[in-house]
Amino acid sequence: AEHLRDRAMADNVLWWQRHTGHRMLLSAHNGHVGYLSTHPDMYPRTQGAVLRDHLGSGYAAIGFSFAGGSFLTKDAALDGDWKPVTVPAARPGMNEHLLDRVGYRDFFLDLRTAPAEARAWLDRARPVYDAGSTFTADPLPALALGRAYDVLIHLHRVRAADKLTRGASAP
């Protein structure tokens, strides 16, 4: 089922675009919107790769990275409750460690226009924090950010979303 998931998600987006002609913003986990997967055994072809094949440069993948903090995740993608997980500051050797040393706390980078030296660094796979429905801390998956996305938004720290209780409304 997971092998077909991203293809089905891409087909839905393409159907909508064909029937409306509208531009749209697709919001999903990095592993779906990007061109490469941190888990190619489970997701050999991402939604983003399918969309790029059909839309060419009309599709731009925007990925997020963060150098530490908390987020909500589950023990299993389809089971259990969301729970907060806190990760330490990115360690040397991780993509996020060097990105967090840039002179800006939070920033975005258009990877398509990055200088050659930066592209060479970004095109090499390194360990990343990959927070999705589930999270594996050891070993961390690896990803070449420059080959996975067109634009990268880097955040210094993230904070887990507040869980709403049944019947409560958002503040």
Side-chain angles (χ1 to χ4, degrees):
E2 296 297 345
H3 284 249
L4 299 174
R5 181 179 179 194
D6 277 45
R7 177 62 203 214
M9 291 189 302
D11 286 347
N12 286 334
V13 170
L14 292 167
W15 179 91
W16 181 262
Q17 200 281 327
R18 274 193 318 274
H19 284 79
T20 67
H22 296 164
R23 294 176 61 165
M24 63 187 85
L25 174 66
L26 167 67
S27 177
H29 177 262
N30 278 358
H32 299 297
V33 299
Y35 306 123
L36 301 175
S37 173
T38 55
H39 300 286
D41 53 323
M42 189 178 300
Y43 301 104
R45 188 130 173 81
T46 65
Q47 178 183 17
V50 173
L51 292 173
R52 174 50 67 90
D53 286 348
H54 284 47
L55 302 173
S57 62
Y59 176 75
I62 302 172
F64 284 85
S65 65
F66 62 93
S70 301
F71 48 88
L72 298 178
T73 191
K74 295 182 174 190
D75 291 326
L78 301 176
D79 291 325
D81 292 327
W82 293 98
K83 63 179 185 176
V85 170
T86 301
V87 294
R91 65 182 187 272
M94 293 177 64
N95 282 314
E96 296 88 345
H97 181 263
L98 185 61
L99 290 169
D100 212 45
R101 297 176 61 109
V102 170
Y104 301 99
R105 184 174 176 86
D106 300 325
F107 61 93
F108 74 92
L109 175 62
D110 187 335
L111 303 171
R112 300 165 296 188
T113 61
E117 299 82 16
R119 290 284 317 170
W121 186 87
L122 290 161
D123 283 348
R124 185 167 155 229
R126 291 181 182 74
V128 293
Y129 282 141
D130 185 34
S133 317
T134 61
F135 175 74
T136 303
D138 190 24
L140 289 172
L143 187 66
L145 298 174
R147 291 186 287 131
Y149 311 112
D150 296 304
V151 175
L152 182 71
I153 298 172
H154 179 76
L155 305 173
H156 175 65
R157 294 284 176 270
V158 293
R159 183 183 69 79
D162 294 323
K163 294 194 305 186
L164 295 177
T165 57
R166 189 171 297 253
S169 60

